[in-house]
């Protein structure tokens, strides 16, 4: 078998066999298939898609490319969540401690930024000393002793995804249902959680721009998860505008700490409460959505979720001082405002433009392995449906120098559109996929 023949087959829209997919993934993981061939193949997949059978085979091959965690000692209670990528999406930083504080073990392997979307691991690295490369043994013993783990993709779990993810980030091959589904689900299968809440983002700031694409992606992932014996649901959530206010690593971490203290933007709060509730249902702690919501809110109100986050930071060698003193997180030296030129109701806050601007000022990577600036980012001061007066601040842009602000000024200005008529704010969620008698919400 030769990699070039597999690339040609996908380019010519022919279906790959399981043997061909296994060969591709095994040899890419070992380094025998170089990045340039894998990138060409990923582009062919992005352009031509894959059949459901190919997606399942690809997912299972990637999940089998390294170790698999055996979490059977936790009696089927370990829950995980995964977002398909959005702008300002710092939900994991809140829901993981909330759900763990409610008594369910949360073991999660997260990613770095991908394309214009941010990544939980980059955000966590704003905490001085925080260790994001736990071994599988450390993962299990921490889950046993502390009931919470947030780590990066370890080299021994789904390594094929780790390599492909970094390549896709810089080769324009992120927006593909087969590649996203296999990336997410291979990690989830390898990292062993019994129950998984998927957060499939839809809209301008998501990789899936319309509801039908997002629904397709959600259905493929839920079906792969169920085939692998997991309890899985997928929420379809709105990502036309950034979630919450902060976009950028340390700024988002700060917003998450504030939310764990019970303060923060309404959309982000609703998102965290509902996702926590779904995780509590999947893990058997809550009987229905209302009960799950109440449990999640109580964990924030009584401080146990914040304490859990502190425990997580401590056990992963981070500086817990950031909880009581978030002002010690990395801070950009300069903050510039962008103001509304006219008055009106906010019709658009384009999350993709905001996400791309945050990458351009240094919060994300242009090339594989680039060092990012944890301090920079954008505070989004308006939401769809708000009324703004001319001169009101639309964005606070935190940058390291004036020239980076100048590069994004026009783009950010154009990211907000105003209307003369009142505008209805969009819903936070569109739908939930995968509910059945085992997941009675
Ligand atoms: N999250 C992932 O883990 N992979 C993707 O491809 C997109 C989001």
């Amino acid at each position: 078998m030769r990699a070039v023949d597999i690339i040609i087959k996908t380019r010519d829209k022919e279906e790959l066999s399981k043997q061909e997919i296994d060969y591709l993934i095994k040899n890419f993981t070992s380094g025998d298939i170089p990045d340039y061939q894998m990138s060409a193949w990923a582009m062919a997949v992005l352009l031509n898609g894959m059949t459901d059978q190919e997606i399942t085979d690809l997912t299972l091959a990637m999940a089998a490319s390294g170790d698999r965690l055996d979490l059977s000692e936790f009696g089927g209670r370990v829950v995980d969540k995964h977002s398909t990528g959005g702008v300002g999406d710092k939900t994991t930083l809140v829901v993981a401690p909330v759900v763990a504080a409610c008594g369910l073990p949360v073991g999660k392997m997260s990613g770095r930024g991908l394309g214009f979307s941010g990544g939980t691991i980059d955000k966590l690295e704003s905490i001085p000393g925080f260790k994001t490369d736990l071994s599988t043994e450390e993962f299990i013993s921490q889950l046993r002793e502390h009931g919470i783990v947030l780590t990066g993709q370890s080299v021994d779990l789904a390594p094929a995804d780790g390599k492909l993810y970094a390549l896709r980030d810089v080769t324009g091959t992120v927006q593909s249902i087969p590649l996203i589904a296999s990336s997410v689900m291979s990690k989830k299968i390898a990292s062993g959680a019994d129950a998984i809440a998927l957060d499939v983002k839809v809209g301008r700031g998501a990789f899936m721009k319309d509801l039908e694409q997002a629904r397709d992606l959600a259905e493929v992932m839920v079906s792969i998860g169920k085939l692998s014996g997991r309890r899985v649901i997928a929420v379809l959530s709105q990502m036309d505008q950034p979630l919450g206010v902060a976009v950028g690593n340390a700024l988002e971490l700060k917003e998450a700490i504030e939310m764990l203290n019970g303060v923060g933007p309404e959309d982000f709060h609703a998102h965290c409460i509902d996702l926590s509730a779904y995780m509590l249902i999947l893990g058997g702690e809550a009987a229905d959505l209302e009960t799950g919501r109440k449990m999640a809110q109580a964990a924030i109100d009584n401080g146990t979720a914040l304490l859990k986050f502190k425990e997580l930071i401590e056990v992963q060698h981070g500086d817990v001082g950031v909880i009581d003193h978030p002002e010690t997180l990395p801070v950009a030296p300069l903050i510039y405002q962008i103001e509304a030129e006219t008055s009106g109701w906010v019709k658009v806050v384009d999350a993709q433009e905001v996400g791309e601007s945050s990458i351009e000022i240094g919060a994300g990577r242009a090339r594989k392995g680039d060092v990012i600036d944890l301090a920079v980012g954008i505070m989004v001061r308006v939401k769809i449906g708000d009324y703004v007066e001319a001169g009101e601040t639309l964005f606070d842009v935190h940058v390291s120098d004036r020239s980076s602000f100048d590069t994004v000024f026009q783009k950010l200005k154009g990211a907000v559109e105003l209307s003369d008529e009142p505008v209805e704010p969009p819903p936070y969620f569109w739908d939930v996929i995968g509910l059945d008698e085992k997941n009675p919400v």
Side-chain angles (χ1 to χ4, degrees):
M1 235 180 258
R2 296 188 318 159
V4 64
D5 297 322
I6 295 177
I7 299 168
I8 289 169
K9 258 182 117 172
T10 303
R11 182 199 68 190
D12 293 346
K13 302 189 182 161
E14 287 176 45
E15 185 171 19
L16 299 180
S17 66
K18 177 170 172 7
Q19 288 71 20
E20 285 165 328
I21 290 175
D22 287 347
Y23 170 88
L24 186 75
I25 295 305
K26 188 160 170 264
N27 287 284
F28 172 57
T29 310
S30 66
D32 292 327
I33 293 180
D35 284 0
Y36 56 82
Q37 283 190 308
M38 203 60 184
S39 306
W41 179 76
M43 185 57 83
V45 172
L46 179 127
L47 295 173
N48 293 335
M50 284 180 123
T51 63
D52 285 356
Q53 186 59 52
E54 284 179 301
I55 301 174
T56 306
D57 290 340
L58 177 62
T59 306
L60 297 179
M62 298 213 299
S65 64
D67 293 345
R68 265 187 192 211
L69 285 186
D70 176 3
L71 302 181
S72 51
E73 67 176 273
F74 298 95
R77 298 179 71 242
V78 180
V79 287
D80 192 351
K81 75 150 282 266
H82 202 89
S83 150
T84 56
V87 177
D89 183 12
K90 67 289 285 177
T91 311
T92 294
L93 301 171
V94 175
V95 302
V98 164
V99 173
C102 294
L104 279 179
V106 180
K108 171 154 172 54
M109 239 167 59
S110 289
R112 296 193 178 277
L114 186 66
F116 55 77
S117 82
T120 302
I121 291 304
D122 293 333
K123 293 166 202 177
L124 281 168
E125 282 180 351
S126 314
I127 305 172
F130 192 90
K131 188 167 180 285
T132 55
D133 57 349
L134 301 187
S135 67
T136 48
E137 293 74 29
E138 288 169 322
F139 187 111
I140 292 184
S141 69
Q142 186 174 318
L143 196 57
R144 202 181 285 138
E145 281 159 40
H146 300 276
I148 185 166
V149 183
L150 284 185
T151 181
Q153 195 155 355
S154 85
V155 279
D156 35 13
L157 287 184
D161 176 57
K163 287 186 78 178
L164 187 53
Y165 192 93
L167 265 192
R168 288 169 53 220
D169 186 25
V170 290
T171 55
T173 51
V174 172
Q175 271 105 325
S176 151
I177 289 180
L179 296 179
I180 297 176
S182 55
S183 165
V184 171
M185 294 312 291
S186 62
K187 280 194 284 274
K188 302 295 101 180
I189 292 169
S191 57
D194 308 282
I196 305 153
L198 298 168
D199 185 6
V200 178
K201 305 286 189 193
V202 194
R204 293 169 186 261
F207 300 131
M208 298 296 110
K209 303 292 180 204
D210 67 61
L211 198 52
E212 280 329 297
Q213 283 178 318
R215 197 181 289 283
D216 286 348
L217 174 62
E219 279 168 359
V220 171
M221 291 196 292
V222 168
S223 116
I224 295 173
K226 289 192 173 170
L227 276 176
S228 306
R230 315 299 162 105
R231 305 191 296 284
V232 190
I233 60 142
V235 295
L236 298 179
S237 56
Q238 191 273 128
M239 187 32 81
D240 271 327
Q241 59 186 339
L243 184 64
V245 172
V247 177
N249 299 291
L251 292 173
E252 289 189 48
L253 188 87
K254 202 163 162 224
E255 189 163 87
I257 294 171
E258 283 163 8
M259 185 55 68
L260 286 167
N261 275 301
V263 189
E266 177 44 37
D267 60 338
F268 179 40
H269 174 253
H271 201 77
C272 292
I273 294 294
D274 274 22
L275 270 188
S276 303
Y278 284 120
M279 290 169 77
L280 290 166
I281 292 167
L282 283 171
E285 281 295 305
D288 53 44
L289 193 54
E290 231 12 78
T291 313
R293 283 178 175 148
K294 283 193 184 129
M295 289 173 72
Q297 188 61 52
I300 293 178
D301 294 344
N302 64 25
T304 51
L306 186 68
L307 280 179
K308 219 14 151 184
F309 194 47
K310 238 182 193 172
E311 185 181 341
L312 171 82
I313 296 176
E314 198 153 32
V315 67
Q316 290 189 213
H317 309 285
D319 175 4
V320 279
V322 301
I323 294 280
D324 296 324
H325 296 284
E327 70 280 2
T328 58
L329 287 165
V331 178
L334 298 168
I335 304 175
Y336 294 101
Q337 272 77 40
I338 296 181
E339 290 161 1
E341 276 173 3
T342 53
S343 305
W345 280 270
V346 178
K347 189 167 77 175
V348 173
V349 186
D350 190 322
Q352 176 162 351
E353 303 280 293
V354 175
E356 285 173 357
S357 301
S358 77
I359 307 293
E360 277 174 51
I361 60 176
R365 298 173 185 79
R367 278 168 313 196
K368 197 172 137 181
D370 275 358
V371 175
I372 59 176
D373 186 338
L374 296 166
V376 300
I378 298 161
M379 300 297 278
V380 182
R381 299 296 180 195
V382 288
K383 290 279 167 197
I384 297 173
D386 289 354
Y387 183 79
V388 295
E389 298 281 357
E392 249 182 69
T393 300
L394 304 175
F395 301 105
D396 291 308
V397 190
H398 295 229
V399 285
S400 57
D401 52 46
R402 172 78 208 195
S403 68
S404 5
F405 174 69
D406 291 341
T407 49
V408 295
F409 175 72
Q410 286 303 340
K411 191 177 178 92
L412 280 174
K413 223 170 176 181
V416 174
E417 285 175 34
L418 301 181
S419 158
D420 294 336
E421 309 285 329
V423 176
E424 191 65 31
Y428 299 145
F429 295 102
W430 295 107
D431 205 352
V432 187
I433 310 278
L435 296 174
D436 52 33
E437 64 289 352
K438 287 205 197 120
N439 301 316
V441 181

